[in-house]
Amino acid sequence: MVRYLLGRVGQALAVLALTFTAAFLLLQVLPGDAIMIKFMSPDMGLTADQIAEIRASYGADRPLWERYFTTVGNFLTGNFGISIQAGVPVSQQLATNLPPTLLLASLAFAAALILTILLASLSNMVGMEWLRAGLQSLPSLFISVPVFWLGIMLIQIFSFQLGLVSVISPGPVEKLVLPVLTLAIPISAPLAQILMRNIDQVLAQPFVAVARAKGASRNWVLWRHVARNAIMPTLTIAGVLFGELLAGAVVTEAVFGLSGLGGLTYQAVGNHDTAVLQAIVVISALAFVTINLIVDLLYPVLDPRLGSRSGAPA
Amino acid sequence: MIQSKYHRFLTGAFASLASIAVLAGSAAAQQAVNKGGTLIYLEQQPHTNLYPPAGGFYPNGGVLNQITDKLTYQNPKTLEIEPWIAESWTVNADATEYTFKIRPGVTFSDGTPLDAAAVAKNFDTYGLGNKDLKQPVSEVITNYKGSEVVDPLTVKFFFTKPSVGFLQGTSVIGSGLVSLKTLALPFDALGDATKIIGSGPFVVKSEVLGRELVMEARKDYKWGPAKLAHQGRANLDGIKYVVTPEDSVRIGALLAGQAHVIRQVQAYDEKQVQSKGFIIYAAPTRGVNNSVVFRPDNPLVSDIRVRKALLHATNAKEIVATLFSANYPQAKSIIASTAQGYVDQSAKLAYDPALAARLLDEAGWTIGPKGLRQKDGKELVLQAYESPPQPQNKETLQLVAQQWAKVGVKLNVLAGDAGSRVADNLDPMKTPVAPAMVGRADPDVIRSQYYPTTRNVLMQKGGVSTKVQNFTDGKLNALLEEIAAATDPVKRLALVGEVQAYVIDQGYTIPIFEEPQAFAASPKVKDFTFEAVGRPSFYATWISK
């Protein structure tokens, strides 16, 4: 188990290093850079010589390999550089923007899970066929609703029309209600779709018929036997969906005017703010790797068959 | 309803420009000023670096205009330069020496005095830059040599060449005075608003980067521009800036009473705001009009007949009527009718597709099989990048493209990322056409826009771009240099008139409309005013009960 864990952590680190390098190279390939966008824009009215001096002062005139190793060194010592557009250290931006996004993303993820389980269990417990069909088609609706439209609608209805929550100067909890909902709905959709289909598949398997024949109630079978078997693929998708969560956060944060990594990314992409983007890519990769590691480690817990395979010597 | 009629009247009056200050003044006289309260202001974009010379970006100017004072005050109505931190000044005959007497008793919010030494250090930085701290020079200060502190309240500035624009340059947003502590910080630390220590009526109390900013009125403030009706501390207790990028959320929040003032209201949203009794403020920017410019270095547009053909193929009236409102007057010259030295050029700007077609024929561009004009096997296909900060710029360019298509010329409107946009806009071969606009209430704005070493919109040789092959216009540059050097104000304005005529005669620029800064405010917000080029000032503002 320890060897397995070490191997997985090693893999994760390799992925991080590759992501860092790929991001660095790709950001260099893009036409123009942050210094050019900021200082060559006519608003600054600088001359060619002044711009050349500024480029030199940021080290932008150095060869690519030198800048790469400088950046690696800086990252390893916790120095993420400076946002040229915003005029503040990237670490200061991250300190402001990382916690709210983590909070929003984890709450939205939790809400999405609750919504998924609610939908899946309701649609399997309801007796009436038409209601069951209605509930089962909800995820398809959720998946096709654009996040920005949903956000704007929720704001228009609950804040501007009904006046239930304030969007501009909300309290700490009030601030999160609508954004969490906006983000949770599209995330819950694919989860619910997969969970529902898997429940149907598992229900069709012979052991369910056996359990029912032995006298178990439908709900008992659903919770004790079916749910556990149906949840595995859902978990895999949940790990992958984290990316969706970040993408959704960009839109949600823009619509609700929340501070967070989403808004920061949006601004940084627009201005080719390389240092900011490099830091965001590394953080996202770290989050991806961590979540997938957790998911992988959870498999053997949920399904003992997997545990014995990875744990036992081959 | 009486109420809405009154507002419609008011809005109409605001649209008729220039009278903003007068109206606000008379409205205030009818009602007692209600002091206190916090005004909630919604901005579309987060501010960037707040080094004062970088204050031209409107989100930056909106912050800096509340927290910094300037040496002089440009009256937004008369455009005259009036005393502010400088009580008086003298200029020598050839405008190479300026002496300012500083108002006594002014302090920065960190308690340090705003005296001659502080003013000298500010302008030394803005005029020469500070390489060690990466602080760049200011666009509005030219030919700066140095300063001399004559006594604690007298400062003298020296210039290598006549610098007539300097006096007005001391009044602009980019010349905001900041504490020596702020100037001692590296450029890359000045994106944090709490580090910008000014002497203005408001002080930044706290900031959540990229999201919101809380300002507090300075209780001991007593050095507002001497000729303003309002004196002493600000009427408001504070201002809360909230960045709200989404248009519909800003407008919805304003109408729902969650905010008092919002910036950036598109023309198509004006009706919705006004129908609810809210007020649109369209502050003029008094500079170079929203225009389409050519880069004659590109052989496709190097022929004056082609440029003039496209000028006459452009229907600015249709653009304004289709996309904009009465707050966006059709342009009659390359600079706004509210700008200094404006001369009406509309006779030369007539929409005349028949003339356009004739000029293109004469230039040898004949209609090919696909309906596109061609010459020597080359098609007349041009490109321009949209400019996101300008109102509905993409739609404007697309409409221009439709109009040009009628005479057989294709204009491709490109979106692209910021990097490609900046890079390609420096290359006339990639962008023979570009949108342009700049706000500044001084005749110098026209020089700054066209001169090769400054904004260089025509992409002449000698500027920042390394891609320009050989285009220069010696006559234009000579005129622009004369504007910068002319010490006689009458002669200076005459030169500005000459440049306007020359630029249009050469078909370098197609002016479209006079660009306002559009704000919307609750009817409860009174005495909401603007500096000369449309940046909000909340010094005298109050919120009625």
Side-chain angles (χ1 to χ4, degrees):
Chain A
M1 191 65 203
V2 173
R3 237 181 88 192
Y4 171 72
L5 199 62
L6 281 178
R8 284 306 318 266
V9 170
Q11 270 178 12
L13 287 177
V15 168
L16 271 183
L18 280 175
T19 314
F20 179 90
T21 309
F24 182 85
L25 291 175
L26 287 174
L27 288 170
Q28 303 299 323
V29 170
L30 289 173
D33 63 13
I35 301 176
M36 178 166 142
I37 291 168
K38 175 100 195 171
F39 295 100
M40 271 190 164
S41 107
D43 288 350
M44 296 293 275
L46 298 174
T47 64
D49 290 348
Q50 288 163 341
I51 290 169
E53 264 171 32
I54 290 168
R55 293 196 75 80
S57 74
Y58 281 101
D61 55 342
R62 301 289 167 88
L64 185 67
W65 62 269
E66 197 182 324
R67 277 180 287 147
Y68 175 74
F69 285 109
T70 317
T71 316
V72 172
N74 286 342
F75 263 70
L76 290 178
T77 53
N79 172 5
F80 298 130
I82 279 162
S83 160
I84 289 173
Q85 191 65 29
V88 285
V90 175
S91 52
Q92 194 180 341
Q93 289 185 315
L94 291 179
T96 315
N97 291 302
L98 187 55
T101 297
L102 281 183
L103 186 66
L104 174 67
S106 37
L107 285 177
F109 194 67
L113 283 183
I114 295 173
L115 212 60
T116 302
I117 293 170
L118 220 64
L119 273 176
S121 42
L122 274 179
S123 72
N124 272 292
M125 288 193 290
V126 168
M128 280 171 287
E129 200 49 42
W130 61 269
L131 194 58
R132 193 179 138 89
L135 281 170
Q136 287 204 333
S137 57
L138 261 188
S140 320
L141 177 68
F142 285 177
I143 216 165
S144 34
V145 169
V147 178
F148 73 90
W149 181 85
L150 182 65
I152 290 174
M153 280 300 133
L154 289 175
I155 292 178
Q156 290 290 349
I157 295 169
F158 292 102
S159 182
F160 298 159
Q161 301 296 324
L162 302 176
L164 294 177
V165 284
S166 168
V167 177
I168 302 305
S169 331
V173 178
E174 194 181 5
K175 178 160 92 177
L176 286 166
V177 178
L178 294 182
V180 164
L181 203 58
T182 307
L183 201 48
I185 285 179
I187 297 291
S188 71
L191 288 180
Q193 273 180 332
I194 287 163
L195 187 59
M196 283 174 178
R197 214 186 55 215
N198 280 308
I199 289 178
D200 284 349
Q201 274 172 2
V202 178
L203 276 175
Q205 282 183 18
F207 81 87
V208 174
V210 174
R212 289 294 301 261
K214 284 166 98 178
S217 77
R218 188 186 151 89
N219 282 345
W220 194 85
V221 172
L222 195 66
W223 287 106
R224 299 302 293 262
H225 294 293
V226 177
R228 201 162 180 172
N229 279 295
I231 211 151
M232 298 292 289
T234 318
L235 198 66
T236 312
I237 292 296
V240 176
L241 270 180
F242 176 75
E244 194 101 344
L245 213 55
L246 265 189
V250 174
V251 181
T252 313
E253 286 167 3
V255 169
F256 288 88
L258 297 174
S259 55
L261 281 192
L264 189 66
T265 312
Y266 180 76
Q267 290 288 334
V269 167
N271 298 311
H272 282 204
D273 221 332
T274 320
V276 183
L277 290 173
Q278 185 80 33
I280 290 173
V281 167
V282 170
I283 287 178
S284 312
L286 187 68
F288 252 105
V289 164
T290 316
I291 285 182
N292 282 298
L293 190 64
I294 293 175
V295 168
D296 281 1
L297 294 177
L298 268 181
Y299 281 149
V301 178
L302 287 170
D303 188 341
R305 285 172 301 178
L306 292 173
S308 62
R309 216 182 299 155
S310 66
Chain B
M1 227 168 95
I2 295 168
Q3 178 83 356
S4 72
K5 246 187 202 163
Y6 168 70
H7 286 302
R8 229 173 287 142
F9 157 73
L10 247 193
T11 327
F14 279 120
S16 72
L17 301 169
S19 47
I20 289 174
V22 177
L23 262 183
S26 63
Q30 293 158 12
Q31 229 175 325
V33 172
N34 176 41
K35 295 199 185 226
T38 297
L39 181 132
I40 295 174
Y41 175 83
L42 305 188
E43 172 52 75
Q44 188 206 18
Q45 295 178 68
H47 69 74
T48 57
N49 197 308
L50 292 175
Y51 176 59
F57 183 50
Y58 273 87
N60 296 1
V63 176
L64 286 170
N65 204 32
Q66 323 309 325
I67 60 176
T68 62
D69 292 335
K70 285 110 219 163
L71 213 44
T72 59
Y73 178 74
Q74 184 167 29
N75 184 318
K77 214 179 108 209
T78 62
L79 299 186
E80 261 161 43
I81 305 298
E82 297 175 357
W84 191 352
I85 296 305
E87 286 183 321
S88 63
W89 52 85
T90 53
V91 188
N92 72 346
D94 61 352
T96 53
E97 281 180 38
Y98 285 74
T99 312
F100 292 88
K101 280 272 178 204
I102 310 297
R103 186 175 179 153
V106 181
T107 56
F108 290 107
S109 57
D110 61 1
T112 58
L114 198 179
D115 54 11
V119 172
K121 177 70 187 164
N122 270 271
F123 282 96
D124 285 351
T125 307
Y126 303 161
L128 302 169
N130 184 332
K131 272 174 207 160
D132 295 336
L133 298 174
K134 296 185 190 171
Q135 293 162 344
V137 298
S138 164
E139 185 195 3
V140 297
I141 302 173
T142 43
N143 306 329
Y144 188 85
K145 195 160 119 198
S147 63
E148 183 198 331
V149 178
V150 179
D151 65 54
L153 292 176
T154 310
V155 62
K156 216 167 169 178
F157 297 111
F158 302 93
F159 296 84
T160 53
K161 280 189 225 159
S163 193
V164 191
F166 181 67
L167 185 61
Q168 192 269 348
T170 62
S171 75
V172 303
I173 194 77
S175 297
L177 302 167
V178 290
S179 157
L180 297 182
K181 282 184 199 161
T182 301
L183 289 177
L185 293 171
F187 180 71
D188 288 319
L190 300 177
D192 180 342
T194 57
K195 304 239 169 84
I196 310 294
I197 310 291
S199 61
F202 292 92
V203 179
V204 176
K205 202 180 147 209
S206 64
E207 166 168 49
V208 180
L209 269 183
R211 162 69 182 154
E212 66 178 45
L213 197 143
V214 176
M215 287 184 196
E216 226 177 28
R218 248 186 100 175
K219 308 226 162 34
D220 59 346
Y221 187 84
K222 51 178 186 234
W223 43 82
K227 291 192 182 169
L228 280 192
H230 179 67
Q231 290 294 316
R233 58 156 283 180
N235 284 325
L236 294 166
D237 282 340
I239 309 168
K240 187 172 170 187
Y241 278 66
V242 183
V243 176
T244 314
E246 179 54 43
D247 284 354
S248 68
V249 175
R250 278 199 314 284
I251 291 178
L254 176 75
L255 299 180
Q258 293 183 25
H260 296 106
V261 177
I262 65 174
R263 189 179 80 86
Q264 194 88 312
V265 182
Q266 297 293 3
Y268 50 76
D269 281 326
E270 286 182 2
K271 271 200 188 114
Q272 183 196 354
V273 171
Q274 289 170 331
S275 67
K276 300 260 168 65
F278 286 67
I279 300 164
I280 297 283
Y281 291 82
T285 52
R286 296 176 207 279
V288 174
N289 282 331
N290 197 303
S291 316
V292 168
V293 296
F294 292 106
R295 276 76 185 277
D297 199 51
N298 185 316
L300 292 176
V301 293
S302 61
D303 187 333
I304 180 173
R305 289 170 296 190
V306 173
R307 298 195 301 266
K308 294 202 89 166
L310 293 174
L311 186 149
H312 290 297
T314 309
N315 187 349
K317 192 176 173 188
E318 184 191 39
I319 295 170
V320 170
T322 312
L323 297 172
F324 298 100
S325 71
N327 293 322
Y328 299 71
Q330 186 186 339
K332 292 186 196 133
S333 175
I334 57 171
I335 56 173
S337 57
T338 47
Q340 281 171 312
Y342 156 82
V343 178
D344 190 339
Q345 307 285 333
S346 45
K348 297 178 190 167
L349 298 172
Y351 170 59
D352 188 347
L355 174 61
R358 202 167 64 236
L359 282 166
L360 286 167
D361 288 340
E362 277 172 27
W365 291 95
T366 48
I367 302 255
K370 284 188 286 176
L372 266 180
R373 295 211 174 240
Q374 51 185 26
K375 182 175 162 181
D376 308 332
K378 263 188 112 179
E379 287 177 331
L380 194 44
V381 178
L382 307 171
Q383 295 88 17
Y385 274 90
E386 60 161 317
S387 163
Q390 294 175 27
Q392 297 192 77
N393 188 249
K394 188 176 168 193
E395 291 80 358
T396 304
L397 290 177
Q398 280 166 345
L399 199 46
V400 169
Q402 284 175 30
Q403 294 169 351
W404 289 3
K406 289 183 192 155
V407 295
V409 179
K410 187 168 175 140
L411 172 66
N412 289 319
V413 181
L414 311 173
D417 59 294
S420 314
R421 190 167 57 238
V422 175
D424 289 353
N425 264 330
L426 290 169
D427 184 351
M429 291 311 288
K430 288 188 176 149
T431 51
V433 177
M437 179 272 158
V438 55
R440 186 185 166 192
D442 188 81
D444 206 42
V445 72
I446 205 164
R447 181 194 65 86
S448 155
Q449 181 77 341
Y450 288 96
Y451 200 65
T453 58
T454 51
R455 291 181 182 240
N456 196 19
V457 279
L458 303 177
M459 285 294 136
Q460 298 192 55
K461 211 169 160 60
V464 171
S465 172
T466 51
K467 299 280 168 58
V468 181
Q469 300 300 317
N470 42 40
F471 172 65
T472 46
D473 185 329
K475 188 176 173 201
L476 175 64
N477 295 342
L479 281 172
L480 296 172
E481 280 159 21
E482 276 189 72
I483 292 180
T487 46
D488 174 10
V490 180
K491 191 185 166 208
R492 200 160 172 241
L493 292 188
L495 285 164
V496 170
E498 250 181 86
V499 172
Q500 290 168 62
Y502 182 76
V503 167
I504 298 288
D505 287 342
Q506 291 297 315
Y508 286 148
T509 297
I510 306 171
I512 315 268
F513 61 87
E514 299 183 2
E515 188 173 320
Q517 269 295 308
F519 297 79
S522 149
K524 284 183 180 170
V525 174
K526 311 287 181 191
D527 288 353
F528 172 37
T529 59
F530 301 89
E531 49 95 91
V533 292
R535 294 187 181 86
S537 164
F538 295 111
Y539 174 45
T541 306
W542 51 285
I543 305 167
S544 73
K545 281 180 191 147

